[in-house]
Amino acid sequence: MVSGASGDVILISGDSQELVGSGGSGEFLKSGGLLISGDPSGSGDTMGSAASGDFSGGSGIIIDLGSGGSGDQSGSGSSGDFSASGESGSSGSSGDFGIILISGEEGLLPTTPETPQEGAGTVEGSGSSGLPEPGEPDEPDEPVVVRPGMPTCLLCTCLGGSVYCDDLRLDSVPPLPKDTTHFYARYNRITKINKSDFASMNKLKRIDLTANEITSIDEKAFVGLPELEELVIRENHVSQLPALPETMTLIDGSHNNIGTKGIHKEAFKDMTSLLYLYLTDNHIDYIPVPLPDSLRSLHLQRNNIQMMHEDTFCNLKDFNYIRNALEDIRLDGNPINLSRTPQAYVCLPRIPIGDLI
C-alpha cells in the first residue's frame, strides 16, 4: 500500500495497471501522490510517502519494483536519487506528468493543466528513461519567468553592486536593486531622468548614461544620493546641468547642449573632492568659477568661451598661492586668445592648452 501527501492511495500492478485512490485516477499527480510499478505478488513489501514533489519536472514519485522484488523499497521524497541498495526516492516542487511508463506496460494517465513554474518541466517519451525518442523534437525551453522585485537583474547583468544595462533599447531607467553601487545604461534610448529613478539609492556611487537621448533631467534627480561620486551623461541632448551633491569626484557632461544658463551659479564651489570636470562640445561661453582646489582636469574645448579673468584660476590677493593639482586645462577650439591674460596662469603648474595668438 502506498500513501501520498494528500491522502490518496494508489496501487498499481505490472499486469493490470489498476489504480485505486481516494483522489480518483490521475489526480494523485498534481497532489503529490505515489506511483508504484511492478508485480505485487512478490515477497517484498513496498511503502512510500511523498510531500508534494517533482520527478523530472512533474509531481509525485515513481518507484519501479520490477517483477516481484525480494527486498523492501521505499520512496521518502528526499534526495531524488535511486540507490543501488534497493531503496529509491525522488522529490521536487510541483507539476504534472503527461505520459508515465509503468514497468511491463505503458500507461497514459490524465492530468490537469497548470501554469508552469520556474524550473519545472514535463516528462514525455516512449521509454522508461523519460527522454524523447531519437528523431523527435525536444520540448521548447520554458519562457523566462520574471520574479517580482527582480526585473532589472533578469533584463540586465548584475555583478555584485554593479548593474549593466548597456545597449538594451531602454527608454527609461529601470527599477534598481537598493544595494546598487554602479549603474551603467549606455547606448539606450532614455529620454528623461526623473527624481524617482534614483530615489533612496543610498549606496549608488557611479551613474553612466552615455549615448542616450536625454533631453531633460529633474533638478533634484541626484541631490538625494549621499554616496554619488561620478556622473557621466555625455553624448545626450541635455541643456541644463542639474544640481549635484558635494561628494562628486567626476562630472562628464560633454557633447550636450549646455549653454550660458545651463550651469548653476557657483555650482562646483563646495565640491571639495572634485577631480575631473569635462564639459567638452557644448555652448558654454564662460569658465564656471569658482573651481575647487581639488580639481585636476578641466576640459572645456570646443565651446564658445571668448574671455578669461586673471583670477579665474589664481588668487590675485595672495601671490604665494600655488594651484598644484590643476595640471590639465583644455581650452582649444574656443574663440579665446590665452596670451591676453598671462597673469591668470602664474599659480598653475602648466599653461592651458589653446590659442595663444
Side-chain angles (χ1 to χ4, degrees):
M1 180 175 293
V2 182
S3 63
S6 64
D8 296 335
V9 180
I10 302 96
L11 177 61
I12 302 177
S13 67
D15 296 327
S16 64
Q17 299 181 18
E18 180 181 0
L19 276 72
V20 180
S22 61
S25 64
E27 292 187 5
F28 71 96
L29 291 172
K30 67 177 181 179
S31 60
L34 207 69
L35 177 62
I36 306 298
S37 63
D39 186 355
S41 62
S43 61
D45 295 329
T46 302
M47 295 187 65
S49 63
S52 180
D54 260 12
F55 186 86
S56 299
S59 79
I61 294 180
I62 302 177
I63 300 178
D64 186 353
L65 306 183
S67 57
S70 60
D72 293 342
Q73 299 193 26
S74 65
S76 61
S78 56
S79 66
D81 297 325
F82 286 89
S83 63
S85 62
E87 296 185 0
S88 60
S90 61
S91 68
S93 56
S94 64
D96 290 343
F97 279 108
I99 299 175
I100 300 178
L101 298 180
I102 302 174
S103 177
E105 293 187 29
E106 239 179 77
L108 178 61
L109 305 180
T111 61
T112 303
E114 292 184 359
T115 303
Q117 299 185 13
E118 186 177 5
T122 58
V123 177
E124 291 190 11
S126 58
S128 60
S129 65
L131 299 176
E133 280 292 311
E136 293 185 1
D138 295 336
E139 286 294 308
D141 294 335
E142 293 289 338
V144 176
V145 178
V146 179
R147 290 183 178 181
M150 291 184 60
T152 301
C153 287
L154 292 176
L155 176 67
C156 307
T157 300
C158 297
L159 297 173
S162 298
V163 179
Y164 298 90
C165 301
D166 294 343
D167 198 14
L168 293 176
R169 300 182 180 180
L170 300 177
D171 57 9
S172 62
V173 175
L176 298 175
K178 294 300 181 182
D179 60 349
T180 301
T181 58
H182 296 71
F183 173 57
Y184 300 87
R186 299 165 291 195
Y187 309 103
N188 284 289
R189 302 173 181 176
I190 300 172
T191 58
K192 184 179 180 180
I193 304 300
N194 301 302
K195 180 181 179 180
S196 59
D197 289 341
F198 300 104
S200 303
M201 302 296 295
N202 295 329
K203 297 183 179 181
L204 193 59
K205 295 182 177 181
R206 179 182 175 95
I207 299 173
D208 193 339
L209 297 166
T210 297
N212 276 272
E213 300 174 7
I214 301 171
T215 58
S216 174
I217 301 178
D218 191 288
E219 178 61 25
K220 297 183 179 180
F222 305 121
V223 292
L225 306 178
E227 299 293 326
L228 186 64
E229 297 178 354
E230 302 178 4
L231 174 65
V232 182
I233 53 173
R234 60 184 296 121
E235 299 177 40
N236 281 280
H237 308 291
V238 177
S239 59
Q240 177 76 40
L241 198 63
L244 295 170
E246 298 176 0
T247 53
M248 301 302 299
T249 62
L250 180 148
I251 301 170
D252 189 349
S254 300
H255 303 277
N256 277 282
N257 298 322
I258 302 173
T260 303
K261 298 181 180 180
I263 302 175
H264 294 288
K265 184 179 180 180
E266 299 185 345
F268 312 109
K269 178 182 178 180
D270 297 324
M271 297 182 183
T272 56
S273 299
L274 185 63
L275 302 176
Y276 309 100
L277 178 58
Y278 301 142
L279 295 170
T280 302
D281 288 288
N282 279 284
H283 307 296
I284 301 170
D285 60 6
Y286 64 95
I287 296 174
V289 293
L291 297 169
D293 289 344
S294 59
L295 193 64
R296 295 180 183 178
S297 183
L298 175 65
H299 288 190
L300 293 169
Q301 59 265 44
R302 294 183 295 279
N303 276 280
N304 192 35
I305 300 173
Q306 302 181 29
M307 62 177 296
M308 182 192 306
H309 297 288
E310 291 187 346
D311 61 351
T312 296
F313 302 114
C314 302
N315 186 353
L316 296 180
K317 297 179 181 180
D318 183 3
F319 292 100
N320 295 320
Y321 173 73
I322 299 176
R323 190 169 195 147
N324 289 321
L326 191 54
E327 297 185 345
D328 179 23
I329 303 175
R330 294 286 301 274
L331 292 170
D332 46 311
N334 284 277
I336 183 175
N337 187 344
L338 298 179
S339 62
R340 293 181 180 179
T341 54
Q343 295 299 316
Y345 323 125
V346 294
C347 67
L348 300 176
R350 292 183 177 82
I351 298 175
I353 296 174
D355 293 335
L356 297 173
I357 56 174

